Structures are given as C-alpha cells and as structure tokens.
Amino acid sequence: MTGPTLVLVVNAGSSSLKYQLVEPESGRTTATGLIERVTDHRAALEKALSDLAATGHVLDAAHLLAIGHRVVHGGSRFSEPVVIDERVRTAIAELATLAPLHNPANLYAIEATTAAFPGIAQVAVFDTAFHQTIPPDAHTYAVPTAWRHDYHVRRYGFHGTSIAYVSRRVADLLGLPPEDVNLVVLHLGNGCSACAVRGGRSVETSMGLSPLEGLVMGTRSGDVDPALGAYLSRAAGVDSAAYDLALNTASGLLGLAGVSDFREVTSRRATGDEAAGLAFDVVVHRLVKYVGAYAAVLGRVDAIVFTGGIGEHSAELREAVLGRLGVLGVELDARANVAARGESCVTTGASRVSGWVVPTNEELEIARACVKLLG
C-alpha cells in the first residue's frame, strides 16, 4: 500500500463514541478509545482527536485514507459499503424509523467527521449489508402485503460486519476457502444473534426487522408470541410505547434474573440462585434450538462458532450448548474449552462438527472494507 495507510473507524451509539485507528494492511490497531455519556457528537469527536493528538497521532490527508462508520441499519438499500454523499445521508436518515436509537447517532458522527476532515472519504459500512443475501423465503414475514411493500417490513438481521469477519477467519482456520464452508455463527454479547452462513453468504439470521427478535439478550427478550402486546394491552393497559420499551430495556437476562450482565448470572447460578439458573437455562435452550434449526437449513455444518464478549469468555455457556448437540456429532473437548483464549478449537478431533472460539474484529473489517471500496 502506498500513500495514506490509516483508517479511522468510528462507531457512534446514542450516548457513546468508540473509535479505532487501524492499519488495514497489517491489521494493527494503533490507537483506540471510548467516550461515554455523549450529548454532542461533534464535541465528542473533538475530544477523540485531541486524545489522539496527545499520543502523537497526526490525522491528515497524508496519513488518513478514509473514515469508516459503522451504520446499524441500511434496510434493503445497501448491500455493500458506500462512500457517503448527500444521497447516502438522506437514506440513513429515512431508515431511522427502523433504527431510531442508532441511525441518528450514526448521522451525528458522520456530520462531525465530515466537518473535521472535509477532504477525506467517509465510508458507511452497514450492519445489515451482510444479510442481504438471505433468500426471500427466509427474510419474508407472512404479514399483509401493504406492510411489506409500503413499510418495508421484513427480516434484515444485524451484527453482519462481525459475522463477515468471523466467517472468513474460521474458513482460514479450517484451511478451506470460504465458499466451501458452512457455519453457524453465534455472536453473543449484550446483544445476541445467530447466523447460518453457507459458502461465505448469510442465508438465515435470528434478528429481524429490528435487533429485538431471536436469542435472549442482556435486556432484550428475543422471541415472544406476537399476540403478547395485544394481550398486555387488554389485560394490563400496557400501551405500545411501554411495551416496546419493556421488551428492549427490561427483559432478557434483566427480566429473568434481575441483572443484565451474563457474568453475574453465571456467578449467581454457581451459588444456587434459582432465577439465575433459570436465566442460564433459557439462554442455552434458545441457542440449542437455533443451532439445530440452522443445521437443518444448511444441510451440512462444518463448524459452530462463538464470538462476542459472552461467546469468547463463557466456557460454561459453550459447554452447555455444545454438550447438547451430540445429535449433530459434536464432541466437546472440556479441557480445551476451559483453556480457550483467543482463536481456539474447543471440540475433539473426532467431532463431526468442530466448535470454535473466534474473537471478532469489526473495526478491522470496516477498515478493510474502506480500502477495498476506495481501491
């Protein structure tokens, strides 16, 4: 690579700003930071740049190839990274109805970095893009035509940037080209999703129109009966706003065990806490159910992959999930599972389906997407 060699990757939440300075060619992160309790994204970016300058990082056109933004929702409009222009900004704003907490924050960051670096390319990498390969029979909800056509109601899926990175890494670890590998990837953090990946392409995923559907998460319920909202409205007077808020912020582990941190759930379970034990079991059951379903969708599974904070660090969860997948020919290597640090295989050599722990690297994936797009 000649010329500028760095990409500044920005991940803006509704009240936070994460950033990394990445060398895409080497994969090295030269600086990283997190600013929390953000009320003004431009001020937060100025602080980030000040912090970078204080550590000797010069960000100008001679050093900076691009600024890559994680954008949560690209709807069905974006299946690849794009250079941000007025058309793209308008689309991200319009898609905020599908991601009201995330897309506006992403736009604030885009505006701030555009003002700070007017001559440097801004690139949007969409969390939903990887899932645009999901076929219609998997992404279509059986709802009225007007909902689907007029309001774009369908399965979109999320965590796509993470899953794209992890899928390629597992193929490398297996010594196979991505197009020859079938995977079930479990991205498990405060938000959780499962994805069936056939030949490097997403063919099914657990999150849907929003990041609420699917697995049990820190504060999100995952799957519930669609009639639940109407029932609670009749029985308890719960309106749509309160219902939406409760499923997103007061459910999941928090609703089951009173805490949203899976580490604390695991710790309490070990002391005999019944609520924590139930929460753990519900999480495991939902994971086993999705892995089994996705194995049927794929027809053949080469590996089950754990990533994200919980997936990477909870040996107890991996043991509980993989231990119930003997029907797929999974044989856990208990010692390797407990010892797993970084990229690790946690199944025996005799296991028909291998199990892996692979730390994700969304920032590197975004940085390399910028390089690929800009040539």
Side-chain angles (χ1 to χ4, degrees):
M1 184 183 298
T2 60
T5 58
L6 298 174
V7 174
L8 177 62
V9 178
V10 177
N11 183 351
S14 57
S15 61
S16 66
L17 184 79
K18 291 196 293 184
Y19 61 90
Q20 280 196 22
L21 197 57
V22 180
E23 289 182 350
E25 190 171 27
S26 67
R28 191 168 71 94
T29 296
T30 63
T32 185
L34 169 64
I35 301 171
E36 298 182 289
R37 292 186 285 277
V38 170
T39 57
D40 181 335
H41 284 77
R42 180 168 292 191
L45 178 67
E46 289 174 356
K47 183 180 187 314
L49 296 178
S50 175
D51 291 346
L52 287 167
T55 55
H57 292 92
V58 178
L59 299 186
D60 56 23
H63 299 86
L64 205 55
L65 173 71
I67 299 171
H69 295 268
R70 175 184 177 239
V71 179
V72 167
H73 217 309
S76 56
R77 304 188 198 186
F78 299 102
S79 59
E80 299 287 345
V82 293
V83 174
I84 298 168
D85 56 17
E86 192 57 38
R87 177 189 65 86
V88 173
R89 281 192 288 269
T90 298
I92 293 171
E94 291 171 351
L95 290 164
T97 55
L98 293 169
L101 292 179
H102 298 95
N103 275 33
N106 302 151
L107 273 177
Y108 295 145
I110 289 167
E111 291 167 0
T113 54
T114 300
F117 302 100
I120 294 174
Q122 310 275 330
V123 175
V125 180
F126 297 90
D127 239 14
T128 48
F130 182 70
H131 301 299
Q132 287 299 297
T133 55
I134 294 176
D137 60 346
H139 74 59
T140 302
Y141 290 126
V143 297
T145 300
W147 294 7
R148 291 183 279 113
H149 288 179
D150 298 343
Y151 302 106
H152 314 293
V153 172
R154 54 160 284 181
R155 179 180 306 283
Y156 289 104
F158 300 87
H159 294 144
T161 307
S162 169
I163 294 165
Y165 173 83
V166 168
S167 299
R168 281 197 302 276
R169 281 300 305 144
V170 174
D172 288 344
L173 292 165
L174 293 173
L176 296 169
E179 57 268 24
D180 291 344
V181 179
N182 285 2
L183 307 170
V184 178
V185 180
L186 304 175
H187 180 111
L188 308 178
N190 190 52
C192 301
S193 68
C195 184
V197 181
R198 178 187 291 127
R201 296 160 65 89
S202 174
V203 296
E204 176 63 285
T205 192
S206 58
M207 286 180 167
L209 176 75
S210 78
L212 181 60
E213 188 180 356
L215 304 177
V216 177
M217 306 176 223
T219 64
R220 283 173 261 174
S221 64
D223 295 337
V224 296
D225 187 329
L228 178 59
Y231 167 74
L232 289 173
S233 176
R234 294 192 303 270
V238 177
D239 65 23
S240 60
Y243 176 71
D244 185 61
L245 185 67
L247 287 190
N248 276 285
T249 66
S251 300
L253 297 177
L254 184 62
L256 289 168
V259 292
S260 61
D261 190 320
F262 192 77
R263 292 167 297 187
E264 189 164 352
V265 169
T266 304
S267 176
R268 291 187 182 185
R269 171 176 174 262
T271 67
D273 185 297
E274 291 186 6
L278 176 62
F280 185 94
D281 292 344
V282 171
V283 168
V284 170
H285 175 81
R286 192 79 57 90
L287 283 165
V288 169
K289 183 170 74 169
Y290 267 94
V291 173
Y294 287 0
V297 167
L298 290 168
R300 185 197 83 241
V301 180
D302 298 302
I304 299 164
V305 191
F306 293 82
T307 192
I310 296 171
E312 293 169 27
H313 300 297
S314 179
E316 296 95 331
L317 179 69
R318 295 193 300 265
E319 179 180 7
V321 172
L322 295 175
R324 290 179 56 182
L325 295 174
V327 66
L328 300 180
V330 175
E331 292 185 14
L332 178 73
D333 183 329
R335 183 174 297 177
N337 182 50
V338 171
R341 300 291 184 273
E343 296 180 341
S344 308
C345 181
V346 296
T347 46
T348 69
S351 185
R352 292 205 309 270
V353 177
S354 60
W356 288 85
V357 178
V358 177
T360 191
N361 194 334
E362 292 173 284
E363 290 77 17
L364 180 57
E365 182 72 13
I366 290 170
R368 288 180 170 165
C370 292
V371 172
K372 182 179 179 181
L373 177 65
L374 298 172

